[in-house]
Amino acid sequence: MRAIVQATAMSSRDAGTGARADVAALRAQMERMQGRRLDVPVLPVHPALASLLPGGGLRPGAAYSLPRSMSLLMALLATPSSSGSWCAAVGMPRFGTEAAEALGVDLSKLVLIPEPGPRWLAVTATIADVLPVVAVRPAGRVPDGEISRLAGRLRERGAVLLVQGPWPQAEAAIEIDQPDWEGLGRGHGYLSRREVTLRSTSRRWPNQRRARVLLPDPQGGISSAPEPLAALEPQREGAASVRGGDSGSERSAPPMRAVG
């Protein structure tokens, strides 16, 4: 930390070429400490998810911690795969290709390894050598040394790791809560959409970020949830009452009843 403070002070005092050189040196030092470049282009994600990720997308060489939600994972894989990036899902035997396709995943760019066995971490690292996006559901606790080696491999190859579960030094951790399904009537009907709140924490911003999304929306995809309607203004006094007869007396309006 002392080196960063000193370099910042030098860059503020100097001008011209010297200042630019100090800024470049500081940037390089920060990149070495953080293990990744700060200006690397990110892989795109759906606009409904962009605000939850530093840089608005998936940063090559970084890992992300996700809940065990297949719909959220598929939504994150959708835009990279449809943009031409190969993706893999490791250790997810219930990964539904039909649901993935509905959420926008290009199945021709998807590799599934449903049962990697006890060497799932080695399989994940091997896949990360050749594919830019790898999703994995850990089958057990990972030693810190193995995590560090995998992190170095990700940085070297520029691969993105999406982990369904906690992961140390994740670029961002996303959680999902407040699910609200729509479509069911009184014990019958079809589920048409699910509205959820996504919460994201990251070392790159001080406060938690939130987004309300439809996952899935009525078309089976993902979209931002509509803004709630503003509260209706109170009706003017007397507007909700009905005058009766010539006597000028008032009686309450009968309650409305929905039919059909």
Side-chain angles (χ1 to χ4, degrees):
M1 181 63 68
R2 185 182 300 111
I4 293 179
V5 173
Q6 291 174 351
T8 305
M10 289 176 61
S11 62
S12 64
R13 288 197 306 267
D14 299 337
T17 304
R20 288 193 296 271
D22 288 335
V23 171
L26 174 59
R27 188 182 189 87
Q29 184 178 10
M30 291 177 64
E31 290 170 359
R32 287 194 300 271
M33 294 176 64
Q34 296 185 0
R36 61 182 68 94
R37 292 186 59 187
L38 302 179
D39 58 352
V40 174
V42 297
L43 293 178
V45 296
H46 191 280
L49 305 174
S51 64
L52 300 169
L53 301 170
L58 300 173
R59 191 179 301 277
Y64 297 84
S65 174
L66 308 177
R68 291 200 169 193
S69 166
M70 297 305 297
S71 56
L72 175 59
L73 174 63
M74 293 171 181
L76 286 169
L77 296 177
T79 303
S81 66
S82 62
S83 300
S85 295
W86 279 85
C87 304
V90 181
M92 302 177 192
R94 295 186 178 181
F95 189 100
T97 55
E98 185 176 348
E101 188 173 31
L103 281 165
V105 177
D106 184 352
L107 299 184
S108 68
K109 297 291 184 181
L110 180 65
V111 175
L112 296 179
I113 308 175
E115 300 287 353
R119 292 180 55 81
W120 63 270
L121 185 61
V123 172
T124 300
T126 300
I127 297 298
D129 280 344
V130 294
L131 299 186
V133 183
V134 182
V136 62
R137 177 175 288 184
R141 184 182 179 278
V142 184
D144 293 340
E146 294 294 332
I147 291 177
S148 297
R149 279 190 285 273
L150 179 56
R153 207 160 182 171
L154 294 173
R155 292 192 296 267
E156 180 182 356
R157 298 297 185 181
V160 172
L161 183 66
L162 303 176
V163 184
Q164 284 195 330
W167 196 255
Q169 299 182 355
E171 180 79 357
I174 301 177
E175 298 178 358
I176 186 170
D177 62 12
Q178 298 179 347
D180 183 15
W181 281 100
E182 292 186 12
L184 285 179
R186 292 186 176 181
H188 60 85
Y190 294 95
L191 295 172
S192 60
R193 73 175 198 172
R194 182 181 66 158
E195 187 172 333
V196 299
T197 296
L198 299 178
R199 298 182 285 113
S200 175
T201 56
S202 173
R203 296 176 295 170
R204 297 187 181 274
W205 51 58
N207 300 317
Q208 186 181 81
R209 295 189 179 184
R210 299 186 177 214
R212 192 73 175 165
V213 301
L214 300 180
L215 187 65
D217 60 18
Q219 289 72 43
I222 178 175
S223 58
S224 297
E227 293 293 332
L229 295 175
L232 297 177
E233 294 183 1
Q235 295 181 340
R236 290 179 300 175
E237 183 178 357
S241 61
V242 178
R243 293 186 178 277
D246 295 332
S247 63
S249 61
E250 295 183 352
R251 58 184 176 86
S252 300
M256 301 294 293
R257 181 167 63 93
V259 297

